[in-house]
Amino acid sequence: MASSGESEDYTHYTPRLNQRDKHRQFTWLEGLLLIVLILSYLLGYGIQISIIAEKYSLEDPPKNRGLYLLFFFLPHLTAGLKNLQYHIRESREEDDENSVIGWVINLVFLPVSPLIRLLRAGKFGMTEKENRENGLRFVDELLTAAVLRLFDVLLGDAPTLSLLLRDDVWSRSGDWKDLASGQQEYLRCSPACTKEEIQVKIKFWTIFRMFFLVSKMAQGVTSYLVAMKRFQRLQYPEHYEHLRGRHSRQGRLNIVATFLLYFANFFFIGSRVMGYSMVSFTWGSWVYLILGAHWLINSAWHLITILNTHGITAARSVSSLVMGGVWLFVITNEQGGRQLGRLTLYYLLAFFETAICSFLWNIALAGSGDFFAFKASWALLAVFTMAVLCLLVYYSLCHPGSPSISSRGLLCCSGNRRDPLPDEEEEVESTSV
């Protein structure tokens, strides 16, 4: 897929065909990955609809149940409009994309735009044998679908899960206490004494959909990070020739590294959702103060990153606002290069946010005797710690580039965080002299 050197959103690359790399981009593993992503997307769509239907069918509906509708329609609409922006750019640059059928598909199926990109990726991947360029277009479509899913999972599933935790966990502490205690019996003596079992009201479906939403979010973020890494290495192969192993040079992570990234995202996103839902349950609208402050910090941070390289436009400002919302749940890296400083600063901010959420929870429920009063704070800290440990193991043992600390690696706001190659460093030094 061709694109201009700079897009009006965060960086979008065009991979270059490296004649030295004769390996296929689409294999049976990529085909299996596409099937998993498509099924996960469709199942998640169905689960969101079922949650909305359930909340609107209750005799005693939860407060602000309209937010379930908002967080279903808004992210899918945002992803669809972003996909339409991509299609407009493609139609200007490639004649085969500027067809009536293409426009109809992208307009009619706007609410399921990631599905369109995943199907296009499969189409290009299966024709790679006839045209090697289609292998690169497969990776490009895979990355585009992953970007669109960021809007879906982090601006839709994450707030929905926060609402579920508020309505189905924290506000039903008695039911969860019964579930933790197991099946119990009580004595009923009117008119005759009989023993009856206490029916636990927490169903498997209540637990399954919460874990599935976290898993879907972690899967979406992991697929984005893997696709972006792979895309960058196709765009700049000379920067990665020194890496260990053929798969590393191609940007492909091994299974262990991929699962470590997945679990790191799983636990970290889970900790963000837990913290926000805890504040929402105990302090109500105060959660918007925490969200708003963190959102503004993230948006300003992302905008500074763009200013360092591209300058500011209206579209890039909007993109920074959107990515500020995405960064509430996970940091992304669309610029490439080392980012030790960014990760360190981001996780420090996340730790302070976790501490604030726990502090507010403890103040509100101190001495209440609530089942979660003491447990929730420790669970939040444990989940956050697990995310940090998974990330440390990944960068220590599984990162293909053996990352090290450097002056550029410690920069937190550099728009071009890619470290130069040794030859480039020598050229820079000679030029400065």
Side-chain angles (χ1 to χ4, degrees):
M1 179 185 298
S3 78
S4 58
E6 295 180 12
S7 63
E8 285 300 301
D9 50 19
Y10 41 92
T11 308
H12 187 84
Y13 295 124
T14 302
R16 298 183 299 183
L17 188 59
N18 184 10
Q19 297 299 330
R20 292 170 293 178
D21 184 9
K22 302 297 182 182
H23 302 286
R24 293 182 59 194
Q25 298 300 325
F26 184 79
T27 65
W28 69 269
L29 280 175
E30 272 72 22
L32 181 62
L33 172 65
L34 275 179
I35 293 174
V36 172
L37 292 177
I38 290 173
L39 291 178
S40 173
Y41 178 78
L42 292 175
L43 183 57
Y45 215 96
I47 286 178
Q48 280 191 314
I49 293 175
S50 69
I51 291 172
I52 294 172
E54 176 191 309
K55 298 305 178 184
Y56 273 82
S57 63
L58 294 175
E59 295 181 0
D60 185 18
K63 60 179 181 180
N64 300 326
R65 63 178 177 177
L67 291 176
Y68 285 98
L69 280 173
L70 175 66
F71 293 130
F72 174 73
F73 286 109
L74 184 61
H76 291 296
L77 178 62
T78 305
L81 293 176
K82 179 56 101 177
N83 179 60
L84 199 60
Q85 178 188 1
Y86 287 149
H87 183 69
I88 292 173
R89 183 187 61 201
E90 294 161 3
S91 64
R92 292 173 179 172
E93 297 170 351
E94 301 181 25
D95 294 334
D96 58 341
E97 297 291 346
N98 192 17
S99 63
V100 176
I101 295 178
W103 282 103
V104 170
I105 290 176
N106 282 278
L107 288 173
V108 172
F109 296 98
L110 186 143
V112 290
S113 55
L115 185 62
I116 299 174
R117 292 294 174 172
L118 290 173
L119 293 175
R120 280 171 57 90
K123 180 189 74 172
F124 287 123
M126 288 185 289
T127 57
E128 183 182 11
K129 287 184 178 180
E130 290 76 22
N131 183 0
R132 190 161 167 254
E133 287 284 352
N134 285 340
L136 302 182
R137 297 190 71 176
F138 158 74
V139 180
D140 190 9
E141 291 292 342
L142 199 63
L143 176 59
T144 303
V147 170
L148 297 178
R149 289 194 74 200
L150 284 182
F151 298 101
D152 173 27
V153 299
L154 297 182
L155 300 182
D157 291 336
T160 297
L161 182 57
S162 296
L163 294 174
L164 281 178
L165 285 172
R166 183 198 68 186
D167 298 333
D168 293 348
V169 179
W170 313 130
S171 63
R172 299 175 61 185
S173 60
D175 295 337
W176 285 90
K177 183 178 180 180
D178 293 339
L179 179 65
S181 303
Q183 288 286 357
Q184 296 180 356
E185 295 181 344
Y186 75 98
L187 193 64
R188 180 181 179 183
C189 293
S190 58
C193 292
T194 58
K195 285 186 176 181
E196 293 186 4
E197 291 185 353
I198 298 176
Q199 296 295 327
V200 178
K201 298 179 181 179
I202 301 298
K203 301 178 181 178
F204 171 77
W205 174 247
T206 303
I207 300 174
F208 169 78
R209 65 189 183 186
M210 289 190 288
F211 275 94
F212 178 83
L213 288 178
V214 179
S215 178
K216 180 188 172 188
M217 286 185 279
Q219 179 198 85
V221 173
T222 302
S223 63
Y224 167 80
L225 295 175
V226 171
M228 177 59 76
K229 188 181 294 293
R230 187 171 172 182
F231 204 73
Q232 289 168 343
R233 295 183 182 188
L234 288 171
Q235 176 74 6
Y236 300 105
E238 65 275 8
H239 286 272
Y240 304 97
E241 292 177 346
H242 65 284
L243 297 181
R244 305 189 304 267
R246 170 173 58 86
H247 288 291
S248 296
R249 290 191 293 270
Q250 289 180 298
R252 289 186 170 101
L253 294 182
N254 59 45
I255 297 297
V256 176
T258 303
F259 273 100
L260 277 172
L261 269 181
Y262 166 81
F263 283 115
N265 291 319
F266 181 92
F267 289 115
F268 185 76
I269 294 173
S271 69
R272 301 301 89 211
V273 171
M274 283 182 62
Y276 297 145
S277 65
M278 289 162 62
V279 177
S280 175
F281 175 71
T282 53
W283 293 85
S285 57
W286 276 74
V287 68
Y288 297 116
L289 181 61
I290 297 176
L291 287 169
H294 199 177
W295 193 315
L296 289 177
I297 292 173
N298 292 340
S299 300
W301 188 358
H302 191 272
L303 191 60
I304 291 173
T305 300
I306 294 176
L307 284 173
N308 284 348
T309 52
H310 302 306
I312 185 173
T313 65
R316 287 174 186 147
S317 300
V318 173
S319 292
S320 292
L321 285 173
V322 173
M323 293 307 294
V326 170
W327 282 10
L328 288 173
F329 302 97
V330 68
I331 193 170
T332 56
N333 177 26
E334 62 274 2
Q335 297 285 347
R338 294 172 181 169
Q339 53 171 352
L340 177 61
R342 298 173 76 241
L343 282 172
T344 302
L345 179 57
Y346 181 79
Y347 274 83
L348 281 175
L349 287 173
F351 173 76
F352 286 122
E353 186 180 61
T354 301
I356 291 173
C357 292
S358 297
F359 179 72
L360 292 175
W361 173 269
N362 289 328
I363 290 179
L365 295 183
S368 64
D370 189 275
F371 178 68
F372 293 112
F374 180 74
K375 299 177 178 65
S377 296
W378 285 107
L380 177 61
L381 181 60
V383 172
F384 178 79
T385 303
M386 287 298 298
V388 175
L389 288 177
C390 288
L391 202 65
L392 288 176
V393 173
Y394 167 74
Y395 277 100
S396 300
L397 304 178
C398 299
H399 194 278
S402 299
S404 59
I405 296 177
S406 67
S407 58
R408 281 196 175 188
L410 287 173
L411 293 178
C412 64
C413 299
S414 174
N416 181 11
R417 294 179 292 275
R418 191 184 307 281
D419 282 342
L421 296 171
D423 295 340
E424 293 175 339
E425 291 177 344
E426 295 175 2
E427 181 180 348
V428 171
E429 290 177 0
S430 61
T431 304
S432 61
V433 172

